[in-house]
Amino acid sequence: MSKLYFKYGAMNSGKSTILIQTAYNYEETGKKVILIKPAKDLKAKDKVSSRIGVSRKVDYLLKEDDSLVKIAEDEKNVNCILIDEAQFLTKKQVDEASYIANVLDIPVLCYGLRTDFKGNGFPGSIRLLEIADKLEELKTICSTPGCSRKGTFNVRYVNGKITCKGSQVAIDGKDNVTYKSVCPKCFYELQSKKKIK
């Protein structure tokens, strides 16, 4: 029986690297995979790109009104569907991913963030946490100098300065926006300095 997986982690936890490696492992044994990422993710355009320098072209850039079920049914002999930046999926698309895994019997592996830079869940991530058959946290360490705790939160930097204001989605490299992972203690300390709730 196939499953819907949600492999989540903070920034720099290796999500994209693991996705690319998983695709390679399937294909090395002669199996067909489909790589998908939401079109909302402007980073790397039509590729899944890892910070360690590996990248791979996706098969589909998924728009908000695109159907995952239609993609799965149109493709032939698919052994696995891999979705990067799954936090940008709609609730309906996550429900479709569950249908694909549990009814069409094709494993669906989703990789993404659990929360945004304010500590709030993304709609796709919330739904994945609710209905995924298997959850797996991908770990990283806090980026704060001198701290070695597990990084589970994300902080946003604009022009090199931390901010807790702005819309939920602002992609790396656009308008000089970057992200780092931090532990909960450092996250709350940074929030209190910025006086953000």
Side-chain angles (χ1 to χ4, degrees), residues 16-17 20 48-56:
S16 297
T17 305
I20 294 168
V48 171
S49 179
S50 166
R51 66 191 166 95
I52 65 168
V54 293
S55 66
R56 178 173 168 152

Side-chain angles (χ1 to χ4, degrees), residues 100-195:
I100 292 165
N102 291 290
V103 178
L104 300 183
D105 201 27
I106 301 169
V108 181
L109 286 71
C110 295
Y111 298 80
L113 298 172
R114 182 176 58 167
T115 59
D116 66 13
F117 71 106
K118 295 178 185 177
N120 299 320
F122 289 93
S125 301
I126 291 168
R127 189 62 177 151
L128 281 161
L129 289 166
E130 291 171 340
I131 68 168
D133 301 304
K134 186 162 176 55
L135 300 171
E136 180 183 343
E137 182 182 20
L138 304 176
K139 297 177 176 75
T140 190
I141 58 170
C142 182
S143 63
T144 304
C147 183
S148 58
R149 294 180 187 91
K150 182 171 75 167
T152 56
F153 283 85
N154 305 296
V155 290
R156 177 185 287 174
Y157 291 83
V158 177
N159 298 322
K161 295 185 179 179
I162 191 166
T163 184
C164 295
K165 296 180 181 174
S167 63
Q168 187 174 53
V169 179
I171 305 299
D172 298 5
K174 188 176 185 218
D175 299 325
N176 208 7
V177 176
T178 58
Y179 296 89
K180 291 185 180 179
S181 59
V182 294
C183 70
K185 181 177 187 290
C186 291
F187 178 79
Y188 292 119
E189 286 175 356
L190 289 166
Q191 272 198 331
S192 67
K193 285 179 187 172
K194 288 288 177 183
K195 298 188 175 167

Side-chain angles (χ1 to χ4, degrees), residues 68-79:
L68 283 172
V69 171
K70 183 172 185 336
I71 291 170
E73 290 176 341
D74 286 350
E75 291 282 343
K76 303 291 183 233
N77 304 313
V78 178
N79 297 106

Side-chain angles (χ1 to χ4, degrees), residues 36-66:
I36 297 172
K37 82 170 188 176
K40 187 181 263 190
D41 175 34
L42 304 173
K43 181 180 68 177
K45 299 179 184 169
D46 64 347
K47 293 182 178 174
V48 171
S49 179
S50 166
R51 66 191 166 95
I52 65 168
V54 293
S55 66
R56 178 173 168 152
K57 193 170 191 288
V58 298
D59 300 298
Y60 294 92
L61 281 173
L62 194 69
K63 295 179 185 144
E64 287 190 1
D65 58 349
D66 287 344

